[in-house]
Amino acid sequence: MTPRDIPVLETARLRLRPRSPDDAEALHPAFADHELMRWWSSGPHDSIEQTRADLAKEAPEWRTWAITLKGDDLAIGFVAAGEKRQGNVSEIGYMLARPHWGAGIAAEAVSCVIDRIFAEGQRRVFADTDPDNAASRGLLEKLGFKLEGVLRAEWETHIGVRDTTLYGLLREDWHGTA
């Protein structure tokens, strides 16, 4: 996918636009945040160059939107969606900078992307998260995702070998934007 293939999406408070390596300065504090990155597959970033390189290596099957507040183009996080089975199933992931936690922004942004995915005809969206990542699991459950299973010793991460919890959401179970 190229940024041209990623539509700009809007909610009451947010504008989601294609994320780019130019967002590295704005997103580096989140990628360098040890608490935020604890449950990520890789450790905290040591430099803005590392963040820039990470943002530049997007997989072609993924679309990634920068989360911005309306009226301010500064990225405060992102939502990514990767098509896993063409036309049917997508995986979703997200990150939000710590100063914006607790305001419902992640739920609003993720909901907006889910609306888009289902409007495009996908039948299922799933997410995987560390079993100990209570905030991420809480967000998924708030949005109506169902816990579908645990894969033991699934990931080798910077904090060791970790299990993953799989959450799924079917189009017919989706109740719309949070």
Side-chain angles (χ1 to χ4, degrees):
M1 295 276 163
T2 67
R4 288 190 302 271
D5 301 324
I6 301 172
V8 172
L9 306 174
E10 293 194 2
T11 70
R13 298 182 294 169
L14 306 175
R15 182 173 180 268
L16 283 71
R17 58 160 174 78
R19 189 185 73 180
S20 80
D22 294 338
D23 291 315
E25 284 193 26
L27 292 175
H28 178 68
F31 278 103
D33 184 322
H34 285 263
E35 182 181 348
L36 190 154
M37 294 296 287
R38 175 167 178 74
W39 309 120
W40 212 252
S41 55
S42 59
H45 290 186
D46 296 322
S47 69
I48 195 160
E49 290 77 22
Q50 185 180 4
T51 301
R52 191 171 287 110
D54 195 61
L55 297 184
K57 67 177 182 186
E58 201 71 65
E61 70 275 10
W62 285 86
R63 294 182 288 174
T64 305
W65 288 267
I67 302 168
T68 68
L69 300 173
K70 277 192 174 172
D72 183 355
D73 198 47
L74 189 69
I76 60 171
F78 63 86
V79 180
E83 195 168 60
K84 295 302 180 178
R85 279 175 280 304
Q86 189 173 9
N88 295 305
V89 178
S90 288
E91 181 177 4
I92 197 161
Y94 41 84
M95 174 189 279
L96 185 65
R98 181 194 307 269
H100 302 281
W101 290 2
I105 289 172
E108 190 173 328
V110 172
S111 292
C112 182
V113 171
I114 292 170
D115 283 343
R116 176 68 187 206
I117 290 168
F118 286 147
E120 292 172 348
Q122 296 282 299
R123 72 166 187 263
R124 172 179 155 72
V125 176
F126 75 94
D128 79 59
T129 190
D130 191 287
D132 293 330
N133 188 344
S136 185
R137 291 182 70 174
L139 172 64
L140 293 169
E141 291 167 4
K142 174 184 175 183
L143 295 177
F145 282 76
K146 303 292 183 215
L147 177 62
E148 295 180 332
V150 176
L151 300 177
R152 297 178 304 144
E154 175 70 2
W155 296 109
E156 278 191 51
T157 75
H158 60 104
I159 60 171
V161 175
R162 303 293 297 172
D163 295 348
T164 193
T165 48
L166 289 175
Y167 282 85
L169 178 68
L170 301 178
R171 182 175 48 228
E172 60 265 21
D173 295 335
W174 179 237
H175 301 297
T177 302

